[in-house]
Amino acid sequence: MQFLLRQPDPRAQHRLQEAGTHPLLAQLFASRGVKEAQELELALPHLLPPALLKGAEQAARALADAIAKGERLLIVADYDCDGATACAVGLRGLRAMGAMVSYLVPNRFTTGYGLSPAVVDLALQQAGGKPDWIVTVDNGIASVEGVAHARAHGIRVLVTDHHLPVDTLPEAEIIVNPNQPGCGFPSKSIAGVGVMFYVLLALRSELRQRGVFDAAHQPRLDALLDLVALGTVADVVRLDANNRLLVSQGLKRLRARHMQPGVAALLQVAGREAARVNSADLGFALGPRINAAGRLADMTVGIECLTTDDPARALDLAQMLDTFNRERRSIEDGIKAEALAMLEGLDLGAAQGAGDEGTAAISLFAPHWHEGVIGIVAGRIKDREHRPTFVFAPAEDGTLRGSGRSIAGFHLRDALDLIAKREPGLVLRFGGHAMAAGCSLVPDGYARFRAALNRVAGEWLEPSQLQRRVEVDGPLPVQWLLPEMASLLGAQVWGQGFAAPLFSARVQIRQQRLIGERHLKAKVRLVDAEGVPGKDLFDLVAWGRTDFLPDEARIAYRLESNTWQGITQVQLVLEAIEG
């Protein structure tokens, strides 16, 4: 493990301080690419305008016409948290503007991802007859066959998505996707829920122009920002300035207890306090509970939780999601243990070509693994071994389904594209992003895929890129080791591409013990640059670690506050040890 020190732009740091930003925050923001104080403006008037998003205004006109004609809309969602929140935003927003709209969510195990012909067939069987429009959320940009099948049955299709397009775009009536060719929308990292929110903004503007609403009497779309924030953080998209604004506004509403009943219920079952909720709570407490429905059962449970206005029903559904999540964790732990055992026999050196025995990428498979959790396991293995990782499980149709996670410098979707071209007939379908992607293989294709992925990784990655590194923000002065500073940091929006602060320090371990047989707690003193330990003792907690620490170590830690018996103190949360 090697620590890399983030280097702030000194001129940007000075400008931020001059504008009134706290000195520590100015350092942290400047080292994450913020140049001007305007980038920290998180009020709604600073939101990028919908007119910049290609297709949004065209979609608004089509939807306004559909509402005026009383046409039936059917949302086809994805089965993850981004898809579920995008579906809930679409349902709530479209209904508020007078639309007749229902939804359909594919099943991970039977119909597969996206608007497939099989999903269109289900749409044709909807109560009341086929819909006039299908509106995809968080999917559809790769659904060439599904869109064609819908159009063949007289159904028009509006695609709203954020995934990277394939070589051939679907022949939908309208496509709204910041990553489609010709779209100049600056926030290419917006999540699927954000794209749907933008379509609603454009639709409301269109309806105002038509005289349906005026500024004083129109649906309050800001009431949906708790859902937008949840889906954005849970989908681990890069938190650029526009995404930070959306998440910040959602958190602001949550802390003021203005939220959907389902979100309030999820906070309750997760044991999180609304007044102190932060982006990490969305990503690690609420998001996994919603995702668990799509991984183990049916995402309908998650969508119903987010769309009901009945608090009692919302709580029942949230408790059901919590049960799913506990089951998911149990299944995941079993697969992870088996996967780690498989790794013991691998040479994790850096492969330098097709004939090298090293393993620059990891592929794992067992015929009894559960398809619903392989993505999570791939992420855990990737984090541990710092290698691009794919984990496979058998699908109900006999194919192999794989989910991958990657490291910096290795674009996973591009790697799948290259493998599909090099190994004709191996990859049936693929899609995703640079850091996360999925694919389906022919039933006997695992060994070929493993060799092909390792070959590409060996060609694209230098040995130095396979060394585990952690970016740190340097030491935190002792005078800032206060609960107030932990609260200030916790109030900011952190996430993918805008990482939460990670401070480094050399510490002396004075006491340590296990708590709950799964975690380590210690008392530590900070050691200064001359090697002199300070007088103050600080609590250090290492979640999920049972190995005792050396007497002295250089650590990377997060700063948090902890209240016990009415007394609030800071604690250092161990993230890594150098060496």
Side-chain angles (χ1 to χ4, degrees):
M1 174 67 70
Q2 179 183 2
F3 290 177
L4 298 179
L5 181 63
R6 288 191 179 93
Q7 298 290 349
D9 179 336
R11 289 174 296 181
Q13 183 176 347
H14 176 73
R15 287 194 296 271
L16 294 175
Q17 280 191 240
E18 287 293 301
T21 305
H22 186 283
L24 177 59
L25 292 181
Q27 172 202 327
L28 298 174
F29 292 154
S31 66
R32 285 156 176 77
V34 176
K35 301 295 185 184
E36 304 288 346
Q38 290 88 333
E39 297 176 57
L40 303 176
E41 294 287 352
L42 300 178
L44 281 174
H46 297 277
L47 193 68
L48 290 171
L52 298 179
L53 184 59
K54 181 180 178 180
E57 293 184 328
Q58 184 185 359
R61 290 191 293 270
L63 291 171
D65 289 344
I67 292 170
K69 296 175 184 176
E71 293 180 336
R72 296 176 62 251
L73 310 177
L74 178 69
I75 293 177
V76 173
D78 187 15
Y79 43 64
D80 66 359
C81 185
D82 187 17
T85 52
C87 183
V89 164
L91 289 170
R92 287 185 174 278
L94 288 169
R95 286 171 180 166
M97 285 184 264
M100 295 173 53
V101 56
S102 56
Y103 77 94
L104 175 64
V105 59
N107 185 289
R108 182 188 296 267
F109 310 107
T110 55
T111 57
Y113 169 79
L115 182 63
S116 63
V119 171
V120 174
D121 288 338
L122 290 176
L124 294 170
Q125 300 167 24
Q126 290 286 293
K130 71 178 183 182
D132 299 293
W133 280 89
I134 285 176
V135 180
T136 72
V137 292
D138 193 32
N139 74 93
I141 197 63
S143 300
V144 175
E145 295 178 357
V147 170
H149 193 52
R151 295 189 66 180
H153 286 84
I155 303 174
R156 288 161 286 176
V157 181
L158 162 60
V159 168
T160 77
D161 200 352
H162 69 124
H163 293 94
L164 296 174
V166 292
D167 294 336
T168 302
L169 292 177
E171 294 185 358
E173 271 68 20
I174 307 161
I175 296 176
V176 186
N177 183 335
N179 291 301
Q180 68 176 306
C183 183
F185 192 67
S187 180
K188 299 297 184 182
S189 300
I190 191 169
V193 66
V195 175
M196 188 64 228
F197 182 70
Y198 263 80
V199 169
L200 293 177
L201 290 174
L203 173 58
R204 186 178 65 177
S205 177
E206 176 69 20
L207 292 174
R208 282 201 308 268
Q209 291 180 28
R210 297 187 183 196
V212 178
F213 303 121
D214 59 32
H217 302 90
Q218 62 179 354
R220 292 290 304 270
L221 295 181
D222 59 338
L224 303 174
L225 284 168
D226 58 333
L227 296 171
V228 176
L230 173 55
T232 298
V233 173
D235 211 45
V236 202
V237 295
R238 188 172 69 86
L239 291 188
D240 58 21
N242 203 60
N243 279 339
R244 291 201 306 277
L245 190 159
L246 290 169
V247 173
S248 175
Q249 288 294 320
L251 288 171
K252 181 179 179 181
R253 291 190 61 83
L254 286 168
R255 291 167 184 156
R257 293 179 172 81
H258 298 314
M259 68 190 88
Q260 319 305 321
V263 176
L266 286 165
L267 284 172
Q268 181 178 336
V269 299
R272 297 302 196 272
E273 183 183 348
R276 301 180 61 187
V277 69
N278 57 35
S279 51
D281 295 321
L282 301 183
F284 296 107
L286 274 63
R289 285 171 167 82
I290 296 175
N291 278 326
R295 294 186 184 283
L296 300 186
D298 183 351
M299 185 48 86
T300 300
V301 179
I303 295 171
E304 290 296 317
C305 180
L306 297 176
T307 53
T308 182
D309 291 321
D310 180 350
R313 174 162 168 74
L315 184 57
D316 288 342
L317 291 166
Q319 289 170 337
M320 191 181 301
L321 292 171
D322 187 59
T323 300
F324 288 152
N325 195 47
R326 293 175 189 274
E327 182 182 353
R328 185 271 305 169
R329 282 202 298 260
S330 176
I331 295 171
E332 175 197 333
D333 287 346
I335 295 178
K336 180 184 172 184
E338 294 180 17
L340 292 175
M342 292 178 181
L343 290 179
E344 292 179 1
L346 291 181
D347 172 17
L348 292 179
Q352 298 301 306
D356 198 300
E357 293 298 321
T359 304
I362 295 170
S363 299
L364 299 167
F365 165 69
H368 59 279
W369 284 353
H370 194 294
E371 179 188 343
V373 301
I374 53 176
I376 302 176
V377 175
R380 302 279 191 257
I381 300 299
K382 181 268 298 182
D383 290 342
R384 175 188 166 103
E385 304 298 341
H386 198 66
R387 298 286 192 280
T389 301
F390 252 92
V391 178
F392 288 88
E396 288 192 3
D397 60 4
T399 62
L400 297 183
R401 296 262 175 88
S403 188
R405 301 293 184 269
S406 195
I407 62 175
F410 191 81
H411 195 297
L412 210 53
R413 185 195 171 279
D414 287 354
L416 290 176
D417 187 35
L418 181 57
I419 291 169
K421 292 171 180 173
R422 284 181 172 179
E423 299 286 339
L426 171 63
V427 181
L428 301 174
R429 292 178 301 278
F430 70 90
H433 305 287
M435 304 303 287
C439 66
S440 292
L441 307 180
V442 293
D444 60 349
Y446 168 67
R448 284 172 63 196
F449 180 90
R450 180 180 60 188
L453 180 65
N454 194 50
R455 177 186 174 191
V456 174
E459 293 168 354
W460 289 6
L461 290 169
E462 298 293 332
S464 60
Q465 293 175 279
L466 299 175
Q467 181 178 357
R468 293 184 66 202
R469 293 184 172 93
V470 171
E471 287 189 297
V472 297
D473 293 293
L476 186 63
V478 175
Q479 64 266 27
W480 283 345
L481 282 165
L482 299 169
E484 294 79 7
M485 183 58 66
S487 297
L488 177 65
L489 296 174
Q492 310 307 311
V493 176
W494 312 104
Q496 181 71 21
F498 205 77
L502 201 58
F503 302 105
S504 59
R506 179 160 292 282
V507 296
Q508 282 187 354
I509 313 299
R510 310 301 294 181
Q511 306 169 20
Q512 51 186 324
R513 60 185 175 87
L514 290 179
I515 54 175
E517 298 184 354
R518 294 189 61 183
H519 314 293
L520 187 69
K521 191 164 188 179
K523 294 283 188 181
V524 302
R525 295 187 193 276
L526 302 185
V527 178
D528 65 20
E530 284 73 41
V532 179
K535 296 180 180 179
D536 295 326
L537 281 172
F538 295 95
D539 286 332
L540 174 75
V541 62
W543 303 116
R545 181 188 178 101
T546 56
D547 295 337
F548 281 87
L549 302 171
D551 292 339
E552 187 167 315
R554 187 164 183 251
I555 66 168
Y557 69 91
R558 290 183 289 109
L559 186 69
E560 289 187 354
S561 60
N562 182 46
T563 301
W564 175 251
Q565 294 182 340
I567 300 175
T568 300
Q569 296 178 311
V570 295
Q571 66 178 7
L572 318 183
V573 180
L574 181 69
E575 290 292 327
I577 301 176
E578 190 172 41

